[in-house]
Amino acid sequence: MPNSPVRLLIHGASGRMGRALLRLAAEHGDLRVVAGISRSGRTPPELSGLPMLPAAHMGEAPAFDLMLDFSLAEAFDSAVALCRSRSAGLVSGTTGLSATQKQALDTLAQQVPVLWSANFSAGVAVLSELVRQAAAALPEWDVDIVESHHVHKKDAPSGTALALGAAVERGGGRPPAYSSLRAGDIVGEHLVQFTGPGERLELTHRAGSRDIFARGALEAARRLAGRPPGSYRFAELLLGLA
Ligand code: NAD
């Protein structure tokens, strides 16, 4: 970690995750939010005091070391472009990215430290490893991934569900079937179900609050700051999981 506070730019600052990040960033004396970017640039009342810029003027953002991006896939390319032009690192949790957008992350990682994760909770990082192990031990069993989220979520299946599916694949399991449920204000639930002859194994994670993702992302930012360019993984950087 550098000696002076890490200067953060929050992309998607007015959103559900952006607001949680701003509230919790204040708990870290070694992090300083320099500005927020949102689609309109309007400042929600509880964020007064924070300079907010509309996406169209994000090029005018003050100097920053790391961008924290929790926005939408449609806003992602300009976020990456700003990090590239400022040589600033990126911690991103935006989901629904295309293969081209994922490639852009790899290209950016040649220049600056980059960490993208579909999920910033410790529980899901561990779940992912358990899912890989279960798939390796039960390669013939059917696999279903059921995810539930609030009604405003744009992408389906969720980024986390797809990442859990990738863990099944890494373990050599059957290609999973995905189901998505959108209801009320569910923060995020993921069930990975392995079904064999006469028995069923269920592995579930339930997020009780968005704060767990925001805390994970802020901790990732603290640990990423000052590192050499490259692609970093949340599970490895925070939990030491290979
Ligand atoms: P939200 O809709 O509440 O907020 C989206 C934010 O992006 C807003 O600030 C909005 O102004 C901004 N935005 C929208 N279009 C924009 C544009 N064209 N240019 C710039 N900014 C733009 O969404 P949310 O619930 O906060 O989720 C944000 C993202 O984070 C989603 O992709 C969601 O799936 C993801 N997410 C990831 C994790 C994780 O742990 N990785 C956890 C929760 C949510």
Side-chain angles (χ1 to χ4, degrees), residues 11-18 38-39 55 70-72 74-75 93-95 117-120 153 155 213:
H11 187 243
S14 65
R16 284 171 284 267
M17 276 302 297
S38 69
R39 191 201 308 259
F70 283 79
S71 58
L72 297 180
E74 70 207 51
T94 299
T95 59
S117 178
N119 195 297
F120 279 88
K153 184 163 177 63
D155 51 319
F213 308 126

mmCIF file of all heavy atoms in Angstrom, residues 11-18 38-39 55 70-72 74-75 93-95 117-120 153 155 213, ligand 1:
data_model
loop_
_atom_site.group_PDB
_atom_site.id
_atom_site.type_symbol
_atom_site.label_atom_id
_atom_site.label_comp_id
_atom_site.label_asym_id
_atom_site.label_seq_id
_atom_site.Cartn_x
_atom_site.Cartn_y
_atom_site.Cartn_z
ATOM 1 N N HIS A 11 -17.198 4.898 -10.430
ATOM 2 C CA HIS A 11 -17.991 4.927 -11.670
ATOM 3 C C HIS A 11 -19.286 4.154 -11.409
ATOM 4 O O HIS A 11 -19.239 2.964 -11.103
ATOM 5 C CB HIS A 11 -17.183 4.264 -12.798
ATOM 6 C CG HIS A 11 -17.815 4.391 -14.137
ATOM 7 N ND1 HIS A 11 -18.234 3.317 -14.869
ATOM 8 C CD2 HIS A 11 -18.108 5.488 -14.879
ATOM 9 C CE1 HIS A 11 -18.743 3.737 -16.016
ATOM 10 N NE2 HIS A 11 -18.680 5.048 -16.046
ATOM 11 N N GLY A 12 -20.418 4.882 -11.509
ATOM 12 C CA GLY A 12 -21.708 4.296 -11.115
ATOM 13 C C GLY A 12 -22.056 4.721 -9.698
ATOM 14 O O GLY A 12 -22.736 3.999 -8.960
ATOM 15 N N ALA A 13 -21.593 5.925 -9.317
ATOM 16 C CA ALA A 13 -21.662 6.365 -7.911
ATOM 17 C C ALA A 13 -23.085 6.551 -7.396
ATOM 18 O O ALA A 13 -23.309 6.458 -6.190
ATOM 19 C CB ALA A 13 -20.877 7.670 -7.750
ATOM 20 N N SER A 14 -24.044 6.809 -8.286
ATOM 21 C CA SER A 14 -25.402 7.071 -7.792
ATOM 22 C C SER A 14 -26.225 5.797 -7.662
ATOM 23 O O SER A 14 -27.362 5.832 -7.200
ATOM 24 C CB SER A 14 -26.117 8.037 -8.749
ATOM 25 O OG SER A 14 -26.280 7.390 -10.003
ATOM 26 N N GLY A 15 -25.663 4.651 -8.060
ATOM 27 C CA GLY A 15 -26.420 3.398 -8.056
ATOM 28 C C GLY A 15 -26.444 2.735 -6.688
ATOM 29 O O GLY A 15 -25.881 3.247 -5.716
ATOM 30 N N ARG A 16 -27.113 1.580 -6.628
ATOM 31 C CA ARG A 16 -27.214 0.844 -5.353
ATOM 32 C C ARG A 16 -25.828 0.505 -4.818
ATOM 33 O O ARG A 16 -25.525 0.727 -3.640
ATOM 34 C CB ARG A 16 -28.035 -0.449 -5.557
ATOM 35 C CG ARG A 16 -29.522 -0.213 -5.667
ATOM 36 C CD ARG A 16 -30.256 -1.496 -6.091
ATOM 37 N NE ARG A 16 -30.052 -1.735 -7.512
ATOM 38 C CZ ARG A 16 -30.892 -1.315 -8.462
ATOM 39 N NH1 ARG A 16 -31.989 -0.688 -8.124
ATOM 40 N NH2 ARG A 16 -30.639 -1.534 -9.733
ATOM 41 N N MET A 17 -24.973 -0.031 -5.673
ATOM 42 C CA MET A 17 -23.614 -0.384 -5.219
ATOM 43 C C MET A 17 -22.768 0.862 -4.995
ATOM 44 O O MET A 17 -22.000 0.940 -4.039
ATOM 45 C CB MET A 17 -22.943 -1.294 -6.255
ATOM 46 C CG MET A 17 -23.291 -2.752 -6.123
ATOM 47 S SD MET A 17 -22.873 -3.423 -4.501
ATOM 48 C CE MET A 17 -21.106 -3.226 -4.493
ATOM 49 N N GLY A 18 -22.893 1.833 -5.893
ATOM 50 C CA GLY A 18 -22.096 3.062 -5.775
ATOM 51 C C GLY A 18 -22.330 3.739 -4.435
ATOM 52 O O GLY A 18 -21.396 4.167 -3.754
ATOM 53 N N SER A 38 -21.819 9.323 -12.752
ATOM 54 C CA SER A 38 -23.084 8.607 -12.971
ATOM 55 C C SER A 38 -23.604 9.009 -14.343
ATOM 56 O O SER A 38 -23.042 9.896 -14.991
ATOM 57 C CB SER A 38 -24.099 8.964 -11.885
ATOM 58 O OG SER A 38 -24.510 10.297 -12.041
ATOM 59 N N ARG A 39 -24.687 8.378 -14.743
ATOM 60 C CA ARG A 39 -25.200 8.678 -16.087
ATOM 61 C C ARG A 39 -25.519 10.172 -16.207
ATOM 62 O O ARG A 39 -25.089 10.835 -17.133
ATOM 63 C CB ARG A 39 -26.452 7.836 -16.353
ATOM 64 C CG ARG A 39 -26.884 7.881 -17.808
ATOM 65 C CD ARG A 39 -28.334 7.495 -17.967
ATOM 66 N NE ARG A 39 -28.666 6.249 -17.332
ATOM 67 C CZ ARG A 39 -28.803 5.094 -17.967
ATOM 68 N NH1 ARG A 39 -28.622 5.031 -19.258
ATOM 69 N NH2 ARG A 39 -29.136 4.010 -17.301
ATOM 70 N N ALA A 55 -21.589 11.117 -17.133
ATOM 71 C CA ALA A 55 -20.738 10.234 -17.945
ATOM 72 C C ALA A 55 -20.137 10.977 -19.135
ATOM 73 O O ALA A 55 -18.975 10.754 -19.492
ATOM 74 C CB ALA A 55 -21.572 9.050 -18.414
ATOM 75 N N PHE A 70 -18.898 0.020 -10.673
ATOM 76 C CA PHE A 70 -20.105 -0.812 -10.532
ATOM 77 C C PHE A 70 -21.191 -0.066 -11.290
ATOM 78 O O PHE A 70 -21.931 0.731 -10.712
ATOM 79 C CB PHE A 70 -20.497 -1.014 -9.058
ATOM 80 C CG PHE A 70 -19.646 -2.016 -8.345
ATOM 81 C CD1 PHE A 70 -18.385 -1.681 -7.885
ATOM 82 C CD2 PHE A 70 -20.097 -3.317 -8.141
ATOM 83 C CE1 PHE A 70 -17.578 -2.613 -7.238
ATOM 84 C CE2 PHE A 70 -19.311 -4.252 -7.481
ATOM 85 C CZ PHE A 70 -18.055 -3.895 -7.029
ATOM 86 N N SER A 71 -21.226 -0.289 -12.610
ATOM 87 C CA SER A 71 -22.168 0.471 -13.434
ATOM 88 C C SER A 71 -22.961 -0.517 -14.290
ATOM 89 O O SER A 71 -23.495 -1.481 -13.755
ATOM 90 C CB SER A 71 -21.413 1.504 -14.272
ATOM 91 O OG SER A 71 -20.443 0.870 -15.090
ATOM 92 N N LEU A 72 -23.019 -0.265 -15.567
ATOM 93 C CA LEU A 72 -23.735 -1.164 -16.470
ATOM 94 C C LEU A 72 -22.816 -1.487 -17.639
ATOM 95 O O LEU A 72 -21.909 -0.701 -17.960
ATOM 96 C CB LEU A 72 -25.012 -0.499 -16.993
ATOM 97 C CG LEU A 72 -26.069 -0.141 -15.935
ATOM 98 C CD1 LEU A 72 -27.270 0.516 -16.590
ATOM 99 C CD2 LEU A 72 -26.505 -1.389 -15.164
ATOM 100 N N GLU A 74 -23.226 -1.206 -20.699
ATOM 101 C CA GLU A 74 -23.219 -0.174 -21.744
ATOM 102 C C GLU A 74 -22.285 0.992 -21.391
ATOM 103 O O GLU A 74 -21.896 1.772 -22.261
ATOM 104 C CB GLU A 74 -24.644 0.339 -21.985
ATOM 105 C CG GLU A 74 -25.184 1.169 -20.843
ATOM 106 C CD GLU A 74 -26.703 1.136 -20.726
ATOM 107 O OE1 GLU A 74 -27.273 0.032 -20.717
ATOM 108 O OE2 GLU A 74 -27.292 2.210 -20.630
ATOM 109 N N ALA A 75 -21.961 1.123 -20.091
ATOM 110 C CA ALA A 75 -21.092 2.228 -19.650
ATOM 111 C C ALA A 75 -19.639 1.787 -19.503
ATOM 112 O O ALA A 75 -18.762 2.603 -19.206
ATOM 113 C CB ALA A 75 -21.594 2.759 -18.313
ATOM 114 N N GLY A 93 -16.890 -4.565 -10.804
ATOM 115 C CA GLY A 93 -17.839 -5.642 -10.517
ATOM 116 C C GLY A 93 -19.009 -5.610 -11.476
ATOM 117 O O GLY A 93 -20.010 -6.286 -11.241
ATOM 118 N N THR A 94 -18.883 -4.810 -12.543
ATOM 119 C CA THR A 94 -19.991 -4.709 -13.498
ATOM 120 C C THR A 94 -20.187 -6.041 -14.215
ATOM 121 O O THR A 94 -19.217 -6.635 -14.699
ATOM 122 C CB THR A 94 -19.707 -3.585 -14.510
ATOM 123 O OG1 THR A 94 -19.600 -2.362 -13.790
ATOM 124 C CG2 THR A 94 -20.815 -3.467 -15.539
ATOM 125 N N THR A 95 -21.435 -6.499 -14.275
ATOM 126 C CA THR A 95 -21.711 -7.794 -14.904
ATOM 127 C C THR A 95 -22.422 -7.596 -16.247
ATOM 128 O O THR A 95 -22.771 -6.476 -16.618
ATOM 129 C CB THR A 95 -22.562 -8.680 -13.971
ATOM 130 O OG1 THR A 95 -23.786 -7.985 -13.683
ATOM 131 C CG2 THR A 95 -21.826 -8.982 -12.686
ATOM 132 N N SER A 117 -14.375 -8.953 -10.871
ATOM 133 C CA SER A 117 -14.981 -10.139 -10.273
ATOM 134 C C SER A 117 -16.491 -10.023 -10.372
ATOM 135 O O SER A 117 -17.059 -8.956 -10.141
ATOM 136 C CB SER A 117 -14.557 -10.278 -8.807
ATOM 137 O OG SER A 117 -15.203 -11.409 -8.241
ATOM 138 N N ALA A 118 -17.127 -11.142 -10.699
ATOM 139 C CA ALA A 118 -18.593 -11.173 -10.760
ATOM 140 C C ALA A 118 -19.185 -11.068 -9.367
ATOM 141 O O ALA A 118 -20.368 -10.768 -9.217
ATOM 142 C CB ALA A 118 -19.054 -12.468 -11.416
ATOM 143 N N ASN A 119 -18.356 -11.317 -8.348
ATOM 144 C CA ASN A 119 -18.882 -11.295 -6.983
ATOM 145 C C ASN A 119 -17.750 -10.973 -6.010
ATOM 146 O O ASN A 119 -16.697 -11.591 -6.064
ATOM 147 C CB ASN A 119 -19.506 -12.659 -6.657
ATOM 148 C CG ASN A 119 -20.373 -12.597 -5.432
ATOM 149 O OD1 ASN A 119 -19.879 -12.317 -4.346
ATOM 150 N ND2 ASN A 119 -21.662 -12.829 -5.606
ATOM 151 N N PHE A 120 -17.988 -9.995 -5.147
ATOM 152 C CA PHE A 120 -16.949 -9.553 -4.218
ATOM 153 C C PHE A 120 -17.205 -10.043 -2.796
ATOM 154 O O PHE A 120 -16.753 -9.416 -1.847
ATOM 155 C CB PHE A 120 -16.839 -8.021 -4.249
ATOM 156 C CG PHE A 120 -16.024 -7.520 -5.415
ATOM 157 C CD1 PHE A 120 -16.609 -7.255 -6.637
ATOM 158 C CD2 PHE A 120 -14.653 -7.323 -5.293
ATOM 159 C CE1 PHE A 120 -15.866 -6.802 -7.714
ATOM 160 C CE2 PHE A 120 -13.894 -6.872 -6.353
ATOM 161 C CZ PHE A 120 -14.495 -6.615 -7.571
ATOM 162 N N LYS A 153 -32.520 -5.876 -11.530
ATOM 163 C CA LYS A 153 -31.286 -6.413 -12.124
ATOM 164 C C LYS A 153 -31.469 -6.601 -13.622
ATOM 165 O O LYS A 153 -32.448 -7.195 -14.074
ATOM 166 C CB LYS A 153 -30.900 -7.736 -11.452
ATOM 167 C CG LYS A 153 -29.566 -8.263 -11.972
ATOM 168 C CD LYS A 153 -28.962 -9.312 -11.087
ATOM 169 C CE LYS A 153 -27.682 -9.876 -11.666
ATOM 170 N NZ LYS A 153 -26.624 -8.873 -11.796
ATOM 171 N N ASP A 155 -29.092 -8.029 -16.090
ATOM 172 C CA ASP A 155 -28.580 -9.200 -16.800
ATOM 173 C C ASP A 155 -29.087 -10.501 -16.177
ATOM 174 O O ASP A 155 -29.332 -10.584 -14.983
ATOM 175 C CB ASP A 155 -27.039 -9.186 -16.835
ATOM 176 C CG ASP A 155 -26.417 -8.980 -15.449
ATOM 177 O OD1 ASP A 155 -26.950 -8.152 -14.678
ATOM 178 O OD2 ASP A 155 -25.434 -9.661 -15.128
ATOM 179 N N PHE A 213 -20.532 -6.857 -0.683
ATOM 180 C CA PHE A 213 -19.831 -6.662 -1.959
ATOM 181 C C PHE A 213 -18.992 -5.385 -1.912
ATOM 182 O O PHE A 213 -17.867 -5.334 -2.403
ATOM 183 C CB PHE A 213 -20.823 -6.562 -3.118
ATOM 184 C CG PHE A 213 -21.818 -7.694 -3.166
ATOM 185 C CD1 PHE A 213 -23.179 -7.440 -3.201
ATOM 186 C CD2 PHE A 213 -21.394 -9.013 -3.179
ATOM 187 C CE1 PHE A 213 -24.100 -8.474 -3.236
ATOM 188 C CE2 PHE A 213 -22.299 -10.056 -3.210
ATOM 189 C CZ PHE A 213 -23.667 -9.790 -3.240
HETATM 190 P P1 NAD B 1 -27.737 0.553 -10.472
HETATM 191 O O1 NAD B 1 -28.631 0.489 -11.667
HETATM 192 O O2 NAD B 1 -28.332 0.841 -9.137
HETATM 193 O O3 NAD B 1 -26.590 1.657 -10.728
HETATM 194 C C1 NAD B 1 -25.947 1.785 -11.978
HETATM 195 C C2 NAD B 1 -25.039 3.005 -11.948
HETATM 196 O O4 NAD B 1 -24.419 3.118 -13.242
HETATM 197 C C3 NAD B 1 -25.757 4.341 -11.689
HETATM 198 O O5 NAD B 1 -24.924 5.205 -10.941
HETATM 199 C C4 NAD B 1 -25.937 4.909 -13.098
HETATM 200 O O6 NAD B 1 -26.005 6.348 -13.121
HETATM 201 C C5 NAD B 1 -24.648 4.433 -13.742
HETATM 202 N N1 NAD B 1 -24.780 4.403 -15.206
HETATM 203 C C6 NAD B 1 -25.780 3.861 -15.941
HETATM 204 N N2 NAD B 1 -25.560 4.078 -17.253
HETATM 205 C C7 NAD B 1 -24.408 4.774 -17.328
HETATM 206 C C8 NAD B 1 -23.653 5.299 -18.395
HETATM 207 N N3 NAD B 1 -24.032 5.136 -19.672
HETATM 208 N N4 NAD B 1 -22.481 5.920 -18.104
HETATM 209 C C9 NAD B 1 -22.071 6.064 -16.814
HETATM 210 N N5 NAD B 1 -22.762 5.618 -15.766
HETATM 211 C C10 NAD B 1 -23.898 4.970 -16.024
HETATM 212 O O7 NAD B 1 -26.944 -0.845 -10.448
HETATM 213 P P2 NAD B 1 -26.309 -1.595 -9.181
HETATM 214 O O8 NAD B 1 -27.329 -2.462 -8.548
HETATM 215 O O9 NAD B 1 -25.550 -0.621 -8.359
HETATM 216 O O10 NAD B 1 -25.295 -2.596 -9.926
HETATM 217 C C11 NAD B 1 -24.263 -2.077 -10.737
HETATM 218 C C12 NAD B 1 -23.502 -3.221 -11.385
HETATM 219 O O11 NAD B 1 -22.813 -3.961 -10.373
HETATM 220 C C13 NAD B 1 -24.381 -4.231 -12.118
HETATM 221 O O12 NAD B 1 -23.698 -4.682 -13.266
HETATM 222 C C14 NAD B 1 -24.535 -5.359 -11.108
HETATM 223 O O13 NAD B 1 -24.806 -6.607 -11.706
HETATM 224 C C15 NAD B 1 -23.156 -5.336 -10.498
HETATM 225 N N6 NAD B 1 -23.020 -5.921 -9.162
HETATM 226 C C16 NAD B 1 -21.878 -6.618 -8.938
HETATM 227 C C17 NAD B 1 -21.631 -7.142 -7.695
HETATM 228 C C18 NAD B 1 -20.335 -7.872 -7.473
HETATM 229 O O14 NAD B 1 -20.062 -8.312 -6.325
HETATM 230 N N7 NAD B 1 -19.509 -8.019 -8.496
HETATM 231 C C19 NAD B 1 -22.543 -6.960 -6.660
HETATM 232 C C20 NAD B 1 -23.702 -6.209 -6.914
HETATM 233 C C21 NAD B 1 -23.923 -5.685 -8.177
#
